[in-house]
Amino acid sequence: MTRIFSGVKPTGHLTLGNYLGAVRRWAETDQHRADALFCVVDLHALTVEHDPARVRRLSRQAATLLLAAGLDPAVCTVFVQSHVDEHARLSFVLECTATDGEMRRMIQYKEKSARARAAGESVRLSLLTYPALMAADILAYGADEVPVGDDQTQHVELTRDLAVRFNQRYGHTFVVPKATQPQVAARVMDLQDPTSKMGKSHAATAGIVYLLDEPDVVRKKIMRAVTDSGREVEYDREEKPGVANLLDVLAACEGGNPEELAGAYESYGALKKDTAEAVVELLRPVRERHAELAADPGYVDKVLREGAERARGMARPTVDAAYRAIGLLPTG
Ligand code: TYM
């Protein structure tokens, strides 16, 4: 059976980008067609400036939202990364497989380290080694597929390279995974700056729709989205990134093709209005279910406990095999 692994990092409240690029697909199709694991990757949240209490809160919220979005613990495994030691164990071995040049070439490292330096903050070493931990997340489970948004494909490519290299050097140990992406909305853009990704840890929030935003807040953000000069509704990501982004979001909500949808609109205002309503309706059940689940933290804890136990059992043999293969002395 196909094995799927993916994760979400608790560095901010989950966004419409996370939902359309990743989480919705996990719930609607991935968990039903494969042996799937979905993880709140809390160790990754420590790679940038963080507040411990906030990371804890966001980890719980992210796990609750994954369940609210429809992940069913009876058919898939939902857990928190730090509850399973194998991730950190394998990460070091993969740091010994990767080169520093490879890590420095990662776009996210370049962008995030530049942002931190510009803000006068230091750059944590773990921000550089982050892709080794991400590779460990994936390779520990022998995942065949990694459903992610467009921004994570470079990390999954690196994971493939590391798996192939390790297998060649030390003997076949890892499955070589591949990234999968949604057909539309693989990269949802910021509504105020449609040339950059809608990112949950960005400081300016007016262009970001969070999954838990109230309907009126969602409407306001979408109605105020930056559009482009001209008046014609056309799907052109280069020339009209704002309008194209709205068309992508609308197409992702309603099904259909953003280019064809463009033909149905005569004004930016009408497009915004329909997009706002479509997003409100898409998120409504998630918000409602989140409120129910948040009232029962004991249930969420139980899901995470059982998920971690299952995940541990799956990861352990592969990580042990990697330790043996690379030359570490087995425990007696
Ligand atoms: P993270 O937490 O930034 O995002 C979680 C998922 O949401 C997708 N995504 C988007 N998709 C479309 N448009 C956007 N604006 C948008 N923003 C985010 C991401 O591509 C991702 O699929 N490094 C990962 C977390 C991670 C991981 C893993 C993922 C750690 N280990 C192993 C897969 C497998 C990250 O920071 O995702």
Side-chain angles (χ1 to χ4, degrees):
M1 195 179 194
T2 303
R3 175 71 63 83
I4 286 181
F5 181 95
S6 202
V8 59
K9 186 174 61 195
T11 42
H13 301 286
L14 295 201
T15 71
L16 183 64
N18 297 131
Y19 189 66
L20 295 180
V23 177
R24 178 165 73 153
R25 234 173 355 133
W26 304 349
E28 286 180 359
T29 54
D30 293 333
Q31 66 172 343
H32 300 296
R33 69 182 179 84
D35 180 10
L37 298 107
F38 301 106
C39 187
V40 177
V41 290
D42 55 349
L43 295 172
H44 284 272
L46 311 184
T47 58
V48 288
E49 286 287 321
H50 78 289
D51 165 32
R54 182 163 187 265
V55 168
R56 236 179 334 259
R57 226 171 27 244
L58 289 172
S59 295
R60 173 176 287 285
Q61 187 191 72
T64 309
L65 268 170
L66 294 186
L67 300 175
L71 292 187
D72 176 358
V75 300
C76 69
T77 302
V78 181
F79 70 107
V80 173
Q81 185 187 32
S82 66
H83 295 176
V84 179
D85 294 341
E86 314 310 317
H87 296 247
R89 274 182 83 212
L90 184 57
S91 180
F92 183 74
V93 162
L94 294 172
E95 284 180 29
C96 299
T97 309
T99 65
D100 82 314
E102 261 167 343
M103 297 283 159
R104 289 183 202 285
R105 276 198 292 280
M106 293 294 112
I107 294 164
Q108 288 214 343
Y109 171 70
K110 288 191 199 167
E111 287 178 357
K112 287 188 181 166
S113 58
R115 226 182 290 149
R117 287 195 180 98
E121 291 167 3
S122 56
V123 175
R124 294 184 181 180
L125 177 59
S126 53
L127 187 68
L128 179 63
T129 57
Y130 178 121
L133 178 59
M134 177 159 164
D137 300 337
I138 297 166
L139 300 181
Y141 297 95
D144 306 282
E145 292 180 22
V146 187
V148 284
D150 181 52
D151 61 317
Q152 293 300 321
T153 49
Q154 194 189 28
H155 290 154
V156 180
E157 285 300 312
L158 177 61
T159 303
R160 288 171 64 85
D161 292 346
L162 297 181
V164 168
R165 187 177 310 152
F166 188 100
N167 288 346
Q168 279 171 353
R169 279 191 193 155
Y170 308 114
H172 186 82
T173 308
F174 297 126
V175 173
V176 180
K178 68 167 197 289
T180 63
Q181 286 185 3
Q183 302 208 312
V184 268
R187 181 179 286 258
V188 177
M189 308 307 270
D190 189 289
L191 297 171
Q192 289 299 314
D193 174 11
T195 57
S196 52
K197 184 190 79 168
M198 184 183 282
K200 65 172 122 53
S201 32
H202 294 177
T205 59
I208 305 172
V209 173
Y210 298 102
L211 299 190
L212 293 178
D213 276 346
E214 299 283 338
D216 276 347
V217 174
V218 174
R219 285 190 189 99
K220 217 175 275 166
K221 286 178 175 174
I222 295 178
M223 293 310 290
R224 288 183 188 160
V226 168
T227 38
D228 312 285
S229 56
R231 306 173 82 170
E232 225 155 285
V233 179
E234 290 165 317
Y235 187 74
D236 183 338
R237 280 197 149 236
E238 293 296 313
E239 297 296 321
K240 295 197 166 190
V243 171
N245 190 37
L246 292 172
L247 287 165
D248 273 339
V249 169
L250 182 60
C253 292
E254 298 199 330
N257 169 323
E259 270 140 21
E260 278 167 22
L261 272 179
Y265 287 93
E266 310 232 307
S267 76
Y268 292 168
L271 171 63
K272 284 181 176 175
K273 196 152 177 289
D274 282 5
T275 306
E277 289 316 313
V279 172
V280 165
E281 288 316 312
L282 183 77
L283 299 186
R284 189 187 301 285
V286 180
R287 276 183 66 242
E288 288 174 359
R289 184 85 183 110
H290 176 271
E292 287 166 23
L293 288 165
D296 188 1
Y299 170 74
V300 178
D301 282 345
K302 177 167 168 287
V303 167
L304 296 178
R305 203 168 45 241
E306 291 174 359
E309 212 164 291
R310 223 164 31 219
R312 228 174 271 132
M314 289 191 230
R316 189 79 201 240
T318 308
V319 179
D320 282 350
Y323 267 46
R324 279 194 300 278
I326 205 169
L328 299 172
L329 186 66
T331 51

